[in-house]
Amino acid sequence: MKYPLFATMLALSVTFPSLADVLTIKKDAPKQYVVKKGDTLWDISGIYLQEPWQWPELWQMNPQINNPHLIYPGDALSLIYDEHGNPRLVVNSGYKKLSPHGRITPKGKNAIPTLPLELLRPYLTYEQAIDAKEIAEKPYILGANVNTKMNTEGHIVYVKGDLELHEAYAIYRKGQEFIDPKTNAVLANNTQLVAVGRVFRKGDVANGVPASVKLEQVKQEIKPADFLMPAMDGQLLPAYFNIHRPEQRVNGTIIASVSGLREFSTMDIVVLNLGSEQAIKEGHILDIERQSPTVFDGRNGPRYKEDSNSLEKLVTNANEFFGVEADEDTQVWHMPKEKVGELMVFKVYNNVSYALIVKNQHPIRVGDFAVIN
């Protein structure tokens, strides 16, 4: 397994709809597995299940562990079936002597985590998706005590805003717009952390007195108009995820990838045009679907639209624009969408959210759909 242990364990409590109670064990799943250093519960579940996010269902009959999230390197896991034929994964006490009390209240840092939290951490610490109107209302940088482009630790910056004395503030820069592909509306702006400082003069905007902030950490150049937020705003991941599929239908789109690459894969982070206003929550599991290419069936036989000649494309586009499918010589075939992966939402804003790709059959791309049908 490729993910290291983390100082902080990400625990998950899970509620599944009725369909999620039916677990399908892989044909090549081992009867016993010994936990190794670097394993995650997600990885181990992938050995046994087609859908690793269903992993808590495997632990319902484990009598040795009060908290089923806590297993350790060296534990032997055995696959059994209950009286109803449901598969269960339990710690094999005959393989290694357990200490139930120690499991209930672990003291060390060696417990196996559920997800690789270190992959999510940068998008909790350095990335925010904030409405432009909200950004416009934030305190912002006026200048510094030195006329230089690169302010460093110990420098002082002056802020238009009434700030809380002695409080830590994060300084962000407004970045790319997240655009809804259907409406072309700006959903939010990506913002990046540039520095952190602490207030030693709180300021008085009404009387023209700027707040004074001493820089404690600087990631990159600080510019006028960079805005400030309390350091912890938007930084906290829920202690418990309720991992489940939404009960309502969902129809969204992957609108950006934080890596900026053209294609991405499992454990990469993407941005969706779905947020709290669309009833999206942290822990939601969504399918990733891709539109199959349109086929133009004309005089020269079936061909993909992209491979058609200019006249055929013109006819196709005209048919689509006017809402008609074909004339007697031409026909446009709109193919269905097909599932290419799954993702888990882990951070939600008003109209956008960040999600972790947890499964993919093909490389995932911007423009693929995030759906629950």
Side-chain angles (χ1 to χ4, degrees):
M1 301 297 171
K2 58 183 178 180
Y3 303 113
L5 294 172
F6 312 108
T8 304
M9 186 184 75
L10 179 61
L12 298 121
S13 66
V14 183
T15 303
F16 292 102
S18 58
L19 290 177
D21 293 334
V22 180
L23 300 182
T24 301
I25 298 296
K26 290 182 176 179
K27 293 181 179 179
D28 59 350
K31 294 294 179 62
Q32 180 169 287
Y33 178 81
V34 179
V35 180
K36 301 178 179 62
K37 183 178 180 181
D39 281 352
T40 67
L41 291 180
W42 192 281
D43 291 330
I44 294 171
S45 297
I47 297 173
Y48 289 91
L49 299 174
Q50 295 292 343
E51 304 290 353
W53 57 270
Q54 294 178 319
W55 65 265
E57 293 298 302
L58 285 173
W59 292 90
Q60 288 186 356
M61 286 191 64
N62 194 333
Q64 294 92 359
I65 301 177
N66 185 58
N67 183 345
H69 304 145
L70 304 183
I71 59 174
Y72 295 80
D75 285 346
L77 309 178
S78 295
L79 179 65
I80 67 171
Y81 291 83
D82 65 16
E83 66 273 17
H84 303 294
N86 299 314
R88 298 289 181 246
L89 199 59
V90 301
V91 171
N92 185 346
S93 57
Y95 179 86
K96 179 182 178 181
K97 185 178 180 181
L98 300 176
S99 172
H101 178 74
R103 299 300 180 164
I104 296 173
T105 313
K107 300 296 184 181
K109 300 179 180 179
N110 294 323
I112 298 298
T114 303
L115 287 174
L117 185 56
E118 68 173 10
L119 292 178
L120 307 185
R121 195 182 309 280
Y123 310 104
L124 307 176
T125 307
Y126 303 132
E127 301 278 344
Q128 301 266 17
I130 305 177
D131 297 339
K133 291 182 180 179
E134 184 179 349
I135 293 175
E137 297 172 352
K138 300 292 185 186
Y140 60 86
I141 300 291
L142 295 168
N145 64 327
V146 289
N147 187 0
T148 177
K149 290 184 177 181
M150 181 57 72
N151 291 290
T152 60
E153 294 179 17
H155 283 188
I156 297 169
V157 292
Y158 303 115
V159 178
K160 181 181 178 180
D162 299 330
L163 306 182
E164 294 292 328
L165 191 63
H166 307 309
E167 291 297 314
Y169 281 81
I171 302 171
Y172 287 91
R173 178 160 305 137
K174 182 179 177 181
Q176 75 173 103
E177 296 176 334
F178 291 138
I179 306 293
D180 188 284
K182 293 181 179 179
T183 65
N184 288 324
V186 178
L187 302 176
N189 282 85
N190 184 49
T191 61
Q192 293 184 330
L193 179 71
V194 297
V196 176
R198 193 170 298 275
V199 179
F200 66 93
R201 295 190 194 101
K202 64 179 183 178
D204 185 353
V205 174
N207 293 304
V209 179
S212 301
V213 177
K214 188 172 184 179
L215 300 178
E216 295 182 347
Q217 296 178 349
V218 178
K219 290 181 74 266
Q220 55 181 287
E221 175 187 354
I222 301 170
K223 298 180 180 179
D226 287 346
F227 67 94
L228 287 78
M229 295 170 53
M232 293 307 296
D233 278 10
Q235 302 302 319
L236 298 178
L237 195 68
Y240 293 90
F241 279 110
N242 180 18
I243 295 185
H244 63 291
R245 292 186 178 275
E247 295 181 0
Q248 76 279 8
R249 291 173 63 90
V250 175
N251 187 10
T253 304
I254 296 175
I255 59 174
S257 69
V258 297
S259 66
L261 300 176
R262 181 177 179 273
E263 296 183 335
F264 21 94
S265 185
T266 300
M267 296 301 162
D268 283 336
I269 309 293
V270 295
V271 182
L272 311 178
N273 64 339
L274 299 168
S276 58
E277 293 190 6
Q278 291 76 39
I280 295 299
K281 299 178 181 179
E282 289 91 351
H284 271 169
I285 294 284
L286 307 180
D287 291 333
I288 305 172
E289 292 186 349
R290 178 169 301 153
Q291 179 64 57
S292 300
T294 298
V295 171
F296 179 91
D297 191 6
R299 296 177 181 176
N300 297 319
R303 281 183 289 174
Y304 292 121
K305 179 180 176 181
E306 292 76 11
D307 298 331
S308 303
N309 60 42
S310 299
L311 179 59
E312 290 171 333
K313 288 181 181 178
L314 179 62
V315 172
T316 303
N317 291 334
N319 286 340
E320 292 175 339
F321 181 80
F322 289 110
V324 296
E325 282 298 310
D327 57 27
E328 59 184 12
D329 296 322
T330 62
Q331 188 170 8
V332 180
W333 289 90
H334 299 288
M335 303 305 180
K337 300 182 181 72
E338 299 293 348
K339 181 176 177 178
V340 294
E342 294 176 355
L343 54 79
M344 187 196 80
V345 176
F346 68 87
K347 193 171 186 181
V348 178
Y349 296 90
N350 290 340
N351 292 294
V352 300
S353 56
Y354 288 96
L356 178 73
I357 297 173
V358 296
K359 183 178 180 181
N360 67 295
Q361 290 85 34
H362 303 284
I364 306 302
R365 302 170 187 162
V366 171
D368 288 343
F369 299 95
V371 302
I372 290 294
N373 294 316

